Amino acid sequence: MSKYDEAKQKLRGSICPVITPFKEDGSIDEETFKNLVDWQIKSGSHGISVTGTSGEPSSLNVAERKRVMDLAKEAINGRVIFTPGTGSTNHDETIELTKYAEEIGVDAAMVIVPYYNKPNQDALYEHFKTVADSVEIPIIIYNIPGRTAVNMEVSTMKRLVEDCPNIIGAKESNKDFEHVNRVLLNCGRDFLLYSGIELLCYPMLAIGGAGFISATANVEPKKVAELYNAWEAGDVAKAQDLHYELMPLNDVLFKDTNPTVAKAALGMMGKITPKLRLPLGLPSEALQKEVRETLVNMEILEK
């Protein structure tokens, strides 16, 4: 069994895309961050990802992104899998961050489809192939067309999988469920497919997905992980129940741009100082009230 086949067996479950907490002065709150990672692991999350969408990577410079990876690696201490986000809109920066991830010994690097640039499919192929060829660690493609304005087509993903043995999976934040079905059909049933759309976490398991990288796990890690555990145990009824039980929280967390609502919720829970870096800001008072009511209804907060 190759090291990439071994990775495909290992990199499964609920991987939490942990937020980046800031102090009131805007600096990274390192102790709070490490506490969040520890809480995630103790709550049952099967893996940790950082500096993905929930981690506000476009608000961090390269040195800060490396620092967050270092902090996560230290806090995880080998207890669960670690798949940091290393992609950006800049090609050389993506290679630098991905090489750094390999240097510190991560389990896989998650590389986003470049945002804002709007590359065509051939350019996307060249970007990802060059990044994959620069390292030997597994690569997970992060396809989120709602935020990048570009969708990696199935044919492009298939081409990359055929040409790059270390591209072993994709996080699909794609509401087109036909698309994600075709990803597994064309890239192989052993290709690791993760849902990045909260309401598709359970359906993705049903078609052969490897798990999910759900922002909701920042707020309710235990139940998000239990959904995966129930499915793996063959308890379909419990998995379905958790899917619907989590739906009100999934809905409210995305009524404003992620991670603004998640940070507001974590602030209410006493986990962080709910600080974002501009241009992001906290949701409206009305939405924060709705968030609090949802947390109370789900018994995450007391009345």
Side-chain angles (χ1 to χ4, degrees), residues 144-159:
I144 179 167
R147 293 186 76 141
T148 63
V150 174
N151 181 47
M152 181 180 283
E153 295 175 4
V154 174
S155 58
T156 304
M157 199 171 290
K158 179 182 180 182
R159 188 179 167 200

Side-chain angles (χ1 to χ4, degrees), residues 252-263:
V252 78
L253 288 178
F254 287 87
K255 288 193 173 182
D256 199 351
T257 304
N258 183 48
T260 64
V261 189
K263 278 197 160 182

Side-chain angles (χ1 to χ4, degrees), residues 3 133 150 191 209 245 277 299:
K3 61 182 178 181
D133 288 348
V150 174
F191 188 66
E245 190 175 334
R277 285 184 177 175
E299 299 183 346

Side-chain angles (χ1 to χ4, degrees), residues 16 84 155 185:
C16 180
S155 58
L185 177 65

Side-chain angles (χ1 to χ4, degrees), residues 14 19 21 41 93 107 134 174 251 266 278 292 303:
S14 173
I19 61 100
I41 295 169
E93 187 176 287
D107 294 291
S134 73
N174 197 321
D251 286 345
L266 286 167
L278 293 171
R292 182 175 291 278
K303 288 186 180 180

Side-chain angles (χ1 to χ4, degrees), residues 101-156:
E102 180 175 47
E103 181 183 322
I104 66 171
V106 307
D107 294 291
M110 188 170 63
V111 181
I112 194 169
V113 169
Y115 40 92
Y116 183 76
N117 292 329
K118 297 184 71 174
N120 62 36
Q121 295 298 308
D122 286 337
L124 268 185
Y125 170 85
E126 293 297 336
H127 171 69
F128 273 90
K129 186 174 190 309
T130 305
V131 173
D133 288 348
S134 73
V135 294
E136 294 186 1
I137 55 172
I139 299 293
I140 297 167
I141 295 167
Y142 181 13
N143 190 30
I144 179 167
R147 293 186 76 141
T148 63
V150 174
N151 181 47
M152 181 180 283
E153 295 175 4
V154 174
S155 58
T156 304

